[in-house]
Amino acid sequence: FVNNEVILDEIVDVVAVFGAGREPCRPVKFRRKSGREVTISEIGLGFPRPQGSKMIHVYDVTDGQADYRLEFDAVSLVWRLVREADHVA
């Protein structure tokens, strides 16, 4: 992420693919509270992060126009959009 990032804490609806192997969970698209849908074109980094007694799964993704960080709470099963940054030309 770069200087133009916005820190958010927005609950979002996510379509994700679950399976076995190297990527057990892969977000495909998400819907913001405004109703705008974002289709993910690439996942950059994905990693688990312990937070107290629960595990948060972090995904840095892009739609080709902006970068986003999604976090999935494996206990509450809630997805949050926590960062957004526009691509700089």
Side-chain angles (χ1 to χ4, degrees), residues 6-23:
V6 177
I7 305 299
L8 306 164
D9 185 22
E10 180 181 328
I11 294 175
V12 292
D13 295 326
V14 174
V15 174
V17 175
F18 291 86
R22 195 173 73 79
E23 293 181 346

Side-chain angles (χ1 to χ4, degrees), residues 5-43:
E5 79 176 354
V6 177
I7 305 299
L8 306 164
D9 185 22
E10 180 181 328
I11 294 175
V12 292
D13 295 326
V14 174
V15 174
V17 175
F18 291 86
R22 195 173 73 79
E23 293 181 346
C25 175
R26 185 172 46 88
V28 176
K29 67 179 177 178
F30 62 94
R31 183 180 320 131
R32 304 202 50 187
K33 64 183 175 186
S34 66
R36 184 167 86 79
E37 287 193 3
V38 176
T39 300
I40 296 167
S41 60
E42 185 178 346
I43 299 174

Side-chain angles (χ1 to χ4, degrees), residues 11-82:
I11 294 175
V12 292
D13 295 326
V14 174
V15 174
V17 175
F18 291 86
R22 195 173 73 79
E23 293 181 346
C25 175
R26 185 172 46 88
V28 176
K29 67 179 177 178
F30 62 94
R31 183 180 320 131
R32 304 202 50 187
K33 64 183 175 186
S34 66
R36 184 167 86 79
E37 287 193 3
V38 176
T39 300
I40 296 167
S41 60
E42 185 178 346
I43 299 174
L45 182 63
F47 60 93
R49 184 188 73 212
Q51 187 177 63
S53 63
K54 60 185 174 180
M55 189 64 68
I56 304 295
H57 297 271
V58 179
Y59 298 90
D60 288 338
V61 301
T62 185
D63 64 356
Q65 297 181 21
D67 297 325
Y68 306 93
R69 175 164 284 177
L70 294 170
E71 293 186 353
F72 177 64
D73 182 328
V75 174
S76 68
L77 307 179
V78 171
W79 287 88
R80 292 184 183 278
L81 174 62
V82 297

